[in-house]
Amino acid sequence: MNESEMGLKLSVLDLVPKLPGTTAEAALEQAIRLARQAEELGYLRYWTAEHHDMEGLASSAPEVLLSAIGAATRRIRLGSGAVLLPHYSPLKVAENFRLLAALYPGRIDLGIGRAPGGEAHAAMALSGNFLERVGRYPQLAKDLTDLLADRYCYDDHPVAARPVPRLPLELWMLGTNVKSAGYAAELGTGYVFGQFMSDSDGAEILRAYREAFRPSVQRPEPSAMLAVSVICAETEARAEALAARSAEGFRARGGSPFQGFAGTGRQVREHLRNLQRKCGNDEFLIVSPIPDYEERLLSYRLLAEPNT
């Protein structure tokens, strides 16, 4: 029996790490390599994040990277986790991702969020007063949903996000608290709760999303993912050693380690099943913050293979 038959649906979240001593080019090559392996292993989606002026990450433009990964893969869905909407025009975001959806029919997800994606000066250099713009996030998100539903007007004049793909993209909202869950429910989008970055109770957050969900053009029923951090290795001791290295690297860069779980593939899958029973999510979005490209590939492989 495979994992999908057992109800465990897995997708990849790639922060596109640029590890010490490597180049941006190497980091991007590893992103493509990970996406190809994820497709071979049966992962449902490959999503990439957006960050700005962060030395250890090479993921500033998800729409550009996804275009390259689409050309290197055939079936896996491709998405953003997330485009940081307060920085941008909803029209431009809709155009970018509709173009991707026309290039790769039936494979594109647009995940949006409201984080700055970097330090204060980088955020200001990108879009000015970020706090003012993040305050407009509910309206920006509504404008985006209207554009994707082909009902947007500017000064009472219809404006379309073109090209209009034959198969629509999926719209998701990412967040780490009940406020983001409320936005997703009100607009009728899918919702991804970033459990690995939050102390909030995922079960409570997803319950609030489902209870408040309003059907929309994008989605008739609620659909929820949990984004979690896991590290798999061939032994529990090796997984814990990799987790310790990962945490040490985050602290050395002045950050906080992700909240996650380390173990063998079998142990991690059981942990995810227990988490799913508690939270009722439909899918897991997996980030594996291992500071070694080969070990990271192995982690995703061990998680996907039911006999490990």
Side-chain angles (χ1 to χ4, degrees), residues 220-236:
E221 296 179 349
S223 185
M225 286 192 252
L226 277 183
V228 297
S229 172
V230 302
I231 291 175
C232 293
E234 292 176 328
T235 67
E236 184 176 4

Side-chain angles (χ1 to χ4, degrees), residues 144-165:
L144 180 61
T145 58
D146 286 346
L147 282 158
L148 296 177
D150 296 308
R151 63 185 180 214
Y152 177 77
C153 290
Y154 188 87
D155 283 346
D156 297 323
H157 184 83
V159 175
R162 302 185 188 279
V164 179

Side-chain angles (χ1 to χ4, degrees), residues 64-147:
V64 177
L65 179 55
L66 292 176
S67 186
I69 287 179
T73 55
R74 294 183 298 163
R75 299 178 306 276
I76 194 168
R77 293 192 67 93
L78 309 172
S80 53
V83 167
L84 305 177
L85 189 58
H87 288 308
Y88 307 114
S89 154
L91 175 59
K92 188 58 178 173
V93 172
E95 288 176 337
N96 285 344
F97 277 78
R98 276 192 158 180
L99 180 55
L100 284 170
L103 285 169
Y104 306 111
R107 297 178 58 195
I108 299 300
D109 303 324
L110 169 54
I112 59 171
R114 61 192 187 105
E119 298 297 332
H121 286 86
M124 288 187 289
L126 185 62
S127 63
N129 188 329
F130 182 77
L131 290 179
E132 177 184 331
R133 294 183 64 84
V134 81
R136 296 175 50 220
Y137 180 73
Q139 184 60 51
L140 294 171
K142 183 181 183 305
D143 289 347
L144 180 61
T145 58
D146 286 346
L147 282 158

